Amino acid sequence: MDTKTLNRLSERASAHFVESIAVKQEALRLLPEQVAKGVVAMANCLQSGGKILACGNGGSAADAQHFAAELVGRFERERRELAAIALTTDSSILTAIANDYHYDEIFSKQVRGLGKKDDILLAISTSGNSKNVLAAIEAAKKIGMHIIALTGNGGGKIAQLLGEHDVHLCAPSTRTARIQETHLVLLHSLCDGVDHLLLD
């Protein structure tokens, strides 16, 4: 590989770091209070015997699974297991619903089957427009669940569904990679806050 190509690739990598830092700095300015509200909602739900259902597509599906693993297993400290389910993991359920009904219903039918009043739906969509996530939010609201939504791109259609008692964590970017990176920090902040309230 010639030096010119290496330098060009190095510059591209540096640009990713710079942009990611800038988005996170803006998120730092905008979102800590909303994160705190999300932490309180999650801790109250879990302490009262409720559970958190998490959903998303693609990278957001991975984030939903990551979050559930942190709660059921642990984040950084030993504690009791916490009730969280990623609605993205059961291939039989997902393919049956997608095949027999519609892909847009893969999460909403699980919400209706597993969710109950005062549970939390952690809805993740970088665009804010994922149809199956929107359907899950609508189903959760009918049950009386609370919503914590992680979005980007201004919040999309999800922002229009949220009420005053819901929590909206909108990454301040329109670029999917930057939104996903910020979502990971937000999820870790939620996990840390829940551990702090439960353990400290």
Side-chain angles (χ1 to χ4, degrees):
M1 188 71 65
D2 62 277
T3 301
K4 185 177 180 180
T5 300
L6 285 174
N7 288 341
R8 187 168 66 250
L9 291 172
S10 177
E11 289 171 3
R12 290 183 67 86
S14 296
H16 279 281
F17 281 101
V18 170
E19 187 178 74
S20 184
I21 290 167
V23 172
K24 291 184 179 73
Q25 286 177 325
E26 182 66 1
L28 169 62
R29 186 180 71 83
L30 296 172
L31 297 179
E33 184 176 340
Q34 286 296 103
V35 171
K37 290 178 180 177
V39 167
V40 171
M42 286 184 171
N44 288 342
C45 170
L46 294 165
Q47 285 180 310
S48 64
K51 61 186 170 297
I52 300 170
L53 305 179
C55 65
N57 298 284
S60 297
D63 285 343
Q65 292 163 213
H66 182 158
F67 175 81
E70 303 283 31
L71 261 64
V72 176
R74 67 175 180 188
F75 178 53
E76 291 184 323
R77 293 187 285 174
E78 293 297 336
R79 50 141 167 81
R80 67 178 176 88
E81 297 81 4
L82 301 175
I85 302 171
L87 304 180
T88 56
T89 58
D90 191 318
S91 59
S92 293
I93 290 175
L94 295 172
T95 54
I97 295 171
N99 183 66
D100 297 346
Y101 298 92
H102 196 283
Y103 188 79
D104 293 351
E105 296 186 54
I106 61 170
F107 301 138
S108 57
K109 288 187 75 66
Q110 292 187 76
V111 166
R112 287 191 289 272
L114 299 170
K116 63 180 178 59
K117 189 178 185 298
D118 293 328
D119 281 349
I120 288 175
L121 176 68
L122 180 66
I124 311 173
S125 171
T126 58
S127 68
N129 295 319
S130 303
K131 291 180 180 179
N132 51 16
V133 177
L134 287 161
I137 291 172
E138 291 171 342
K141 283 187 162 294
K142 288 180 181 177
I143 295 169
M145 294 174 62
H146 304 289
I147 312 299
I148 298 177
L150 273 67
T151 69
N153 202 37
K157 294 178 181 177
I158 286 177
Q160 300 167 26
L161 290 182
L162 301 179
E164 61 178 323
H165 298 298
D166 298 320
V167 175
H168 187 195
L169 301 173
C170 182
S173 178
T174 58
R175 190 172 180 183
T176 299
R178 302 292 87 88
I179 296 166
Q180 290 173 330
E181 291 157 5
T182 305
H183 281 180
L184 187 56
V185 176
L186 292 168
L187 291 171
H188 283 163
S189 298
L190 290 167
C191 292
D192 173 76
V194 167
D195 278 5
H196 174 69
L197 286 184
L198 295 183
L199 299 175
D200 299 332

